Amino acid sequence: MTMTASSLVELRALRVAFDGVEVLHGIDLEVDRGESVGLVGESGCGKSVTWLAALGLLPDKASVTGSVRLEGRELAGAPRQTLETVRGKRIAMIFQDPSSSLNPVLRIGRQIAEALGAHRGLSGAAARAEALRLMDMVGIPDPRRRFDQYAHEFSGGQCQRLMIAMALAGEPDLLIADEPTTALDATIQAQILDLLARLKDETGMGLVFISHDLGAVSQVCERVCVMYAGRIVEQGTVEQLFSAPRHPYTRGLFDAIPRLDGPRERLIPIPGTVPDPREPLQGCSFAPRCTRATSYCRSNMPRLLLQDDGRGLACAHPVEPAQKGSTRAAILEDTMQ
């Protein structure tokens, strides 16, 4: 993809290494204004590291190279003062464990008010009024009474809503949601997903949704990037990937989804695990786990190439397009509509 006038954030050749061990191998990704993009893959594939690196939130031992542009403004290697004007105000991030992000000894209202003061310069009665508005916006019942409560007095789902309220305090152009529903039960998860989708539509902000839950991604995203071992191996619209996944890894993720209708069937797991980055492979990183791999795959690393249908694909032997309804992907797509 090329940078367009509507592009908000552009990552180019983004690489990350820890103590000389490369874990991210040249990520190219764009997010347009108002667009919702999903990042999916197993744990350890580099989904969270990509955006932590983009925002300069990795520890000092991490080596980050490449380009990160916000509306053409380079952020990679920018001084801390520059990044602090972006974090929270232009790009906000929420994490999967709100209990570790909320201060247990400060009242919730004060924490939201601090975010409003840092990003919008509000204080006193103005900050309190805006904090109450944000709490109401994210669905916290009786916000005036709960304004002075502590984090432990809220449920897990309510804490995640509070984290979303704090992220919205800076009126960001892009919200990065890093597995925000992982620790929640199915009912609360659905509520949080509906909330994110509604807020995106109401505010016009872009959304990056990081998850290993394909069903959740299908509810809130328009485009999906599948990551494996620090690389994007397939990307396209939700409709493209859910109706006809082409990369063997993407197909494997869908095949491992249990069916909720029809006869019970044994799941088709992906054998093995994500490779250790300390032991880099010469060829395709997925080759040791792939049933379609050949000697060519084991000696050549495929590049992400644009396909005739507009998707990006990095595979020498992709899965042939299947008829709609013949895969678990299509079954899941139908259940989410």
Side-chain angles (χ1 to χ4, degrees):
M1 296 178 62
T2 58
M3 189 75 169
T4 64
S6 63
S7 292
L8 177 64
V9 177
E10 179 187 27
L11 310 183
R12 282 285 174 260
L14 185 64
R15 296 177 179 270
V16 175
F18 292 100
D19 296 328
V21 177
E22 192 167 80
V23 297
L24 215 61
H25 310 282
I27 297 298
D28 293 328
L29 178 63
E30 301 86 25
V31 182
D32 292 344
R33 290 183 174 277
E35 183 184 24
S36 53
V37 178
L39 260 64
V40 301
E42 294 170 276
S43 297
C45 286
K47 306 184 298 296
S48 299
V49 169
T50 297
W51 289 100
L52 291 173
L55 292 175
L57 294 174
L58 292 176
D60 293 338
K61 68 177 182 179
S63 172
V64 180
T65 60
S67 175
V68 179
R69 291 182 175 270
L70 173 64
E71 293 184 322
R73 179 187 183 187
E74 184 62 62
L75 300 182
R80 179 179 177 181
Q81 292 82 353
T82 299
L83 292 175
E84 287 181 348
T85 65
V86 172
R87 300 172 188 154
K89 187 169 181 61
R90 300 296 309 278
I91 304 176
M93 192 167 185
I94 57 176
F95 301 92
Q96 60 179 298
D97 184 11
S99 61
S100 65
S101 301
L102 294 172
N103 192 322
V105 299
L106 293 181
R107 300 179 191 274
I108 286 300
R110 178 179 171 184
Q111 295 185 57
I112 300 176
E114 284 184 351
L116 289 166
H119 301 309
R120 291 165 59 184
L122 299 181
S123 61
R128 179 183 175 88
E130 180 64 6
L132 290 172
R133 187 188 72 84
L134 290 172
M135 291 175 68
D136 181 66
M137 178 187 291
V138 299
I140 298 296
D142 195 5
R144 291 186 179 277
R145 179 179 64 84
R146 311 208 70 180
F147 185 86
D148 291 320
Q149 291 183 338
Y150 295 92
H152 72 270
E153 298 179 85
F154 294 82
S155 68
Q158 289 174 334
C159 285
Q160 192 60 276
R161 290 173 183 268
L162 291 169
M163 287 303 304
I164 295 173
M166 293 177 67
L168 294 176
E171 298 180 327
D173 297 310
L174 177 65
L175 177 64
I176 302 168
D178 189 359
E179 302 199 30
T181 61
T182 297
L184 306 177
D185 62 52
T187 301
I188 303 302
Q189 171 178 298
Q191 294 175 0
I192 296 297
L193 294 176
D194 289 342
L195 173 63
L196 288 173
R198 177 174 62 82
L199 292 174
K200 172 188 170 297
D201 292 338
E202 290 179 354
T203 64
M205 66 181 178
L207 175 66
V208 173
F209 188 78
I210 301 172
S211 180
H212 60 271
D213 187 336
L214 292 164
V217 168
S218 71
Q219 288 189 14
V220 299
C221 296
E222 304 158 1
R223 184 162 57 91
V224 183
C225 297
V226 181
M227 293 192 67
Y228 185 77
R231 292 181 172 86
I232 295 176
V233 296
E234 187 171 11
Q235 64 176 341
T237 65
V238 167
E239 181 180 359
Q240 286 175 329
L241 267 65
F242 276 62
S243 62
R246 299 293 311 280
H247 196 282
Y249 178 63
T250 310
R251 179 61 185 265
L253 293 176
F254 282 114
D255 285 343
I257 298 173
R259 294 185 58 170
L260 300 181
D261 60 342
R264 291 197 302 175
E265 299 177 351
R266 184 178 295 276
L267 297 182
I268 307 174
I270 303 175
T273 59
V274 178
D276 189 334
R278 293 170 296 184
E279 300 175 1
L281 301 174
Q282 181 179 359
C284 175
S285 300
F286 189 61
R289 307 174 68 186
C290 182
T291 58
R292 304 176 65 86
T294 64
S295 57
Y296 177 85
C297 301
R298 297 183 182 92
S299 57
N300 294 273
M301 177 62 68
R303 294 187 298 116
L304 188 68
L305 300 176
L306 186 66
Q307 306 298 301
D308 292 339
D309 62 358
R311 83 176 72 199
L313 183 63
C315 183
H317 302 289
V319 178
E320 294 301 320
Q323 293 295 321
K324 182 174 176 60
S326 63
T327 67
R328 281 183 168 82
I331 294 169
L332 179 60
E333 180 186 29
D334 290 338
T335 62
M336 304 314 295
Q337 292 177 348

